[in-house]
Amino acid sequence: MFFVATPEPATAKVTLDPAFTVGPVRRRTFGAFVEHLGRCVYTGIFEPDHPDADEDGFRRDVLDLTRELGVSTVRYPGGNFVSGYRWEDGVGPKDQRPVRLDLAWHSTDPNLVGVDEFAAWSAKAGVEPMMAVNLGTRGIQEAMDLLEYCNIEGGTALSDQRRANGAQDGYGISMWCLGNEMDGPWQIGHKNALEYGRLAADTARGMRMIDPDLELVACGSSGPTMDTFGEWERVVLSETYELVDLISAHQYFEDFGDLQEHLAAGHKMDAFIKDIVSHIDHVKSVKKSTKQVNISFDEWNVWHMSRAESKAPSGKDWPVAPVLLEDTYTVADAVVVGDLLVTLLKNTDRVHSASLAQLVNVIAPIMTEPGGRAWKQTTFHPFALTSRHAAGTVLQLAVESPLVSGGTTAGVAALSAVATFDSGKGEAVVFAVNRSATDALTLDAAVAGLGNVRVLEALTYANKDPYWQASADDSTSVEPAENVTVKAEGGRLTAELPAVSWSMIRLAVGS
């Protein structure tokens, strides 16, 4: 009888030392996005006839899952939708609000949810609202009007209108997006870089006359594959650099059938961030500015946009809350989402805010049935656990990893990892992704710099079938499970990481 020896897993080496840091863990990294798109708002966060709806018509089950997900900020109301939105339609008595066509998604919006409802929902969910203004079909005055309505306590026409509508106190919204994806030809009011840059600058000046302490986000290019990318950032920032705090980044990833290529998403996001940083810092240098503009990565996710569910309706039918962009995610997609969070944390020195697009039903970690159940998609788990446990400072890791290649992407590190260190709590957390589609990986981490360490918790999310999907009927048979291979002794931390896996290892640290 002959036995074939099973090859030993390749090893990736990592060094953790609290003396080497990237920057603070930013709570705003764990933001999300609610757009008037498909069923995100209607039968998503808002469904007055649902048996679990509260007195304001919000689904309590979705609120509970939003809190469990650990969302920090929520961007609203778009997205493409905002470029044709009249915010005044969504305030005042609901029976007097106009029904409007939504040209962005070929739908009808009944305007039952607007700025006041969103602010009320945000308070219940415990999230910070992040508002976007329409610089597509509207401009400076409308943006200033919305800011006055939201933030001025009272004594003016618009603030008193808000008070008459039931909100006595201002909302204190500090983060504002100056439009959305304005270089995209699909955008209503699409503009070239100079047109948009000058409009954004004038809008920023006007809004800062009302509140100089706002945090303003200029539109970056719609993505790294756009012909406009790079030059758009240069021109827009040349007009707005001293007036804004952040520039937006948007990037989505899709599995086209090559799993190894799909698992390289974090590698691609990291390269995109570095490109944006170079464009920002070029303008800073040319302007000889002492100010530092950073990145709001306010749209990111896995989005299988070539599939049928991502196609907007057309023709004479303008439905309310149609089924749109309702991707069903796999374990592999969740691993990619976990890796994208690793990448955002690794760039915390320059990425100061981020928004998972979107929160409910539309390419989302939370799904609902109209009148029925709500459940967690696979992507819910790495987001919730990272948001819950990443705290303190992001450490600068030294990593030596085997390389993997797939599709058009070659030489990608099999191990993607980041660690956070909370000295006050006496805890370090390692987030590790094995990007290999086929092979397990041994993690060998030098942790002596942390002092004595003890494993508090070790969870791994993986499955023999990386294409397993959650559903309303089965959302719990594949969940993060204890990784029994994790050991910490003699200044070293070791763990076996299955192929296509995301892991979290929490360590108690001390002298």
Side-chain angles (χ1 to χ4, degrees):
M1 183 177 293
F2 295 93
F3 294 92
V4 178
T6 302
E8 290 292 322
T11 297
K13 295 183 178 181
V14 178
T15 301
L16 288 74
D17 192 316
F20 300 95
T21 64
V22 181
V25 175
R26 302 179 193 277
R27 282 301 305 155
R28 284 177 173 172
T29 300
F30 304 103
F33 182 22
V34 166
E35 181 174 1
H36 285 246
L37 193 178
R39 295 195 310 113
C40 189
V41 173
Y42 304 112
T43 72
I45 67 170
F46 181 78
E47 190 177 356
D49 296 331
H50 191 277
D52 199 27
D54 69 9
E55 68 281 1
D56 294 319
F58 301 123
R59 288 185 58 150
R60 290 187 178 91
D61 52 357
V62 173
L63 281 166
D64 288 343
L65 287 171
T66 299
R67 296 185 198 102
E68 184 181 348
L69 187 63
V71 171
S72 56
T73 65
V74 175
R75 181 170 172 248
Y76 175 87
N80 295 351
F81 172 82
V82 78
S83 291
Y85 184 50
R86 287 173 272 197
W87 69 267
E88 304 93 333
D89 291 345
V91 300
K94 291 190 179 184
D95 60 359
Q96 297 177 26
R97 297 182 188 181
V99 174
R100 300 286 191 189
L101 296 181
D102 167 23
L103 304 185
W105 300 106
H106 202 84
S107 307
T108 297
D109 194 319
N111 279 307
L112 298 177
V113 171
V115 61
D116 293 319
E117 287 78 19
F118 176 67
W121 178 87
S122 296
K124 293 183 180 190
V127 304
E128 177 189 2
M130 178 182 184
M131 192 67 68
V133 300
N134 177 358
L135 293 188
T137 61
R138 310 190 88 183
I140 305 165
Q141 187 63 61
E142 292 83 1
M144 293 190 300
D145 287 350
L146 179 57
L147 174 59
E148 179 185 328
Y149 182 91
C150 287
N151 284 11
I152 297 300
E153 289 300 318
T156 68
L158 290 169
S159 61
D160 286 346
Q161 181 184 350
R162 183 202 67 243
R163 291 166 67 92
N165 289 336
Q168 292 299 304
D169 298 326
Y171 299 134
I173 300 172
S174 63
M175 293 189 74
W176 293 78
C177 300
L178 302 174
N180 176 75
E181 293 186 354
M182 297 310 299
D183 68 331
W186 57 85
Q187 205 71 212
I188 305 168
H190 156 69
K191 295 171 175 59
N192 66 39
L194 185 57
E195 291 169 335
Y196 167 73
R198 288 180 173 172
L199 176 58
D202 288 341
T203 304
R205 288 187 189 97
M207 293 178 74
R208 289 199 185 281
M209 288 179 180
I210 298 172
D211 184 350
D213 297 324
L214 296 177
E215 296 172 77
L216 300 181
V217 185
C219 286
S221 179
S222 303
T225 61
M226 295 287 291
D227 291 340
T228 47
F229 174 59
E231 180 64 4
W232 174 275
E233 277 72 11
R234 185 191 69 79
V235 174
V236 167
L237 286 173
S238 294
E239 297 295 323
T240 64
Y241 195 89
E242 298 297 336
L243 295 163
V244 302
D245 305 284
L246 304 159
I247 190 163
S248 70
H250 293 179
Q251 192 174 28
Y252 294 97
F253 301 92
E254 184 168 5
D255 185 353
F256 290 103
D258 187 323
L259 179 57
Q260 190 60 73
E261 173 84 9
H262 187 38
L263 292 167
H267 171 81
K268 296 174 184 176
M269 176 190 265
D270 189 66
F272 182 34
I273 291 170
K274 288 178 170 52
D275 277 352
I276 299 170
V277 166
S278 69
H279 295 305
I280 295 172
D281 290 350
H282 166 72
V283 176
K284 178 182 179 180
S285 176
V286 169
K287 287 184 168 291
K288 300 177 177 59
S289 176
T290 59
K291 179 178 182 176
Q292 185 61 70
V293 170
N294 291 297
I295 297 169
S296 172
F297 215 120
D298 48 45
E299 287 189 34
W300 68 272
N301 204 348
V302 174
W303 176 9
H304 302 294
M305 63 181 71
S306 63
R307 297 179 184 174
E309 57 263 36
S310 287
K311 307 304 179 186
S314 59
K316 296 181 179 180
D317 186 25
W318 295 82
V320 175
V323 174
L324 270 175
L325 282 62
E326 296 197 13
D327 279 9
T328 304
Y329 288 121
T330 66
V331 169
D333 291 333
V335 171
V336 168
V337 165
D339 191 13
L340 296 173
L341 279 168
V342 166
T343 303
L344 292 170
L345 286 169
K346 284 165 57 177
N347 289 280
T348 192
D349 56 332
R350 299 307 299 269
V351 178
H352 284 205
S353 178
S355 304
L356 177 73
Q358 292 187 12
L359 181 64
V360 188
N361 290 327
V362 175
I363 51 173
I366 300 169
M367 298 297 293
T368 70
E369 294 173 330
R373 299 168 288 182
W375 71 96
K376 304 171 186 176
Q377 291 235 58
T378 59
T379 55
F380 186 101
H381 303 293
F383 190 105
L385 287 167
T386 307
S387 177
R388 188 178 309 152
H389 295 295
T393 302
V394 179
L395 300 185
Q396 180 73 57
L397 304 186
V399 179
E400 297 178 33
S401 172
L403 304 180
V404 292
S405 299
T408 60
T409 307
V412 176
L415 176 72
S416 175
V418 72
T420 63
F421 175 61
D422 187 341
S423 58
K425 193 175 179 181
E427 184 172 309
V429 187
V430 178
F431 301 96
V433 174
N434 181 359
R435 292 171 171 164
S436 174
T438 55
D439 299 324
L441 185 67
T442 297
L443 173 67
D444 181 5
V447 294
L450 295 170
N452 294 325
V453 301
R454 174 172 54 87
V455 178
L456 295 173
E457 183 180 24
L459 298 175
T460 291
Y461 191 61
N463 194 43
K464 290 182 179 179
D465 176 11
Y467 289 104
W468 181 88
Q469 299 173 326
S471 67
D473 294 324
D474 179 13
S475 63
T476 59
S477 65
V478 179
E479 292 188 318
E482 182 183 3
N483 187 329
V484 297
T485 71
V486 176
K487 297 179 182 178
E489 55 188 10
R492 305 204 75 79
L493 172 72
T494 59
E496 299 303 316
L497 309 179
V500 195
S501 68
W502 173 91
S503 297
M504 180 193 74
I505 304 169
R506 293 174 52 225
L507 303 170
V509 303
S511 57

